[in-house]
Amino acid sequence: MSCKDCQTVLLDLLLDPGAPTHAAARRHLASCPKCSLEFESLEATFTLLDAWKAPDPSPYFDQKLAVRLREEQAKAPEGWLERLKSRLLFNTGRQFRPALAGALALILLVGGGTFANLSGFSHSRPQASAAVQDLQILDKNDQALQAMDQLLQDDGPVEDNAAPPTS
């Protein structure tokens, strides 16, 4: 067994020393001083943890905690972002229900209208043939050219009644 494999089994060996599957790890610990030192260090740590006793909380811990919680909840948030965050996190949502209902109704209307338009329920006029469309485009172009000609004719040379004085 290699040192790397033995180190992965050290915790299992420490927690369940009588398991028959750890025989190879025990043989490796007997022959490798580095892994043996690591195992002894883990054993000492677990012995210290078993001897340690957590301190008892003060007798008024629960009351003090409840008072601090009430103070923090009653304190107003500092900025508008914190107020919005606290309103979203700690609120029941009753004041948002009308806005949410309106938004959902709007989504349903837009979605339904889009579906009706995409599904072929539209009542548009029938399309003209390609030849008719081409003639309509040419007629519009001709009208635009006539309008341009009229504008150019109107912008012809303007006669100046006031001639510059000659000296």
Side-chain angles (χ1 to χ4, degrees):
M1 177 177 257
S2 68
C3 288
K4 186 175 182 181
D5 293 336
C6 182
Q7 296 219 351
T8 60
V9 181
L10 282 181
L11 269 177
D12 294 336
L13 184 62
L14 187 64
L15 295 174
D16 189 16
T21 57
H22 303 308
R26 288 191 182 284
R27 284 193 302 272
H28 181 78
L29 283 176
S31 65
C32 180
K34 181 181 172 189
C35 292
S36 177
L37 184 64
E38 180 75 25
F39 182 72
E40 289 171 6
S41 172
L42 278 174
E43 235 176 2
T45 303
F46 269 74
T47 304
L48 281 174
L49 285 174
D50 287 340
W52 183 73
K53 186 177 184 289
D56 292 330
S58 72
Y60 300 108
F61 176 77
D62 292 334
Q63 290 86 1
K64 289 179 181 178
L65 180 64
V67 168
R68 290 277 314 263
L69 282 174
R70 273 187 256 125
E71 287 174 356
E72 287 296 319
Q73 287 174 345
K75 187 169 47 170
E78 295 176 6
W80 66 271
L81 187 62
E82 286 81 17
R83 284 195 306 269
L84 179 65
K85 181 180 172 185
S86 66
R87 186 171 290 151
L88 289 174
L89 288 177
F90 303 118
N91 212 347
T92 59
R94 288 188 178 158
Q95 69 268 16
F96 292 121
R97 288 181 185 165
L100 183 61
L104 287 175
L106 181 65
I107 289 171
L108 283 174
L109 285 173
V110 169
T114 304
F115 174 76
N117 192 19
L118 293 177
S119 63
F121 291 130
S122 62
H123 302 296
S124 61
R125 62 180 181 202
Q127 295 289 332
S129 69
V132 172
Q133 287 178 352
D134 288 344
L135 288 173
Q136 288 173 346
I137 291 171
L138 286 174
D139 188 38
K140 288 179 185 175
N141 286 345
D142 187 43
Q143 290 173 0
L145 287 173
Q146 287 176 1
M148 290 294 285
D149 285 340
Q150 284 180 348
L151 287 173
L152 288 174
Q153 288 174 2
D154 290 343
D155 287 342
V158 177
E159 294 190 23
D160 228 356
N161 292 340
T166 57
S167 42

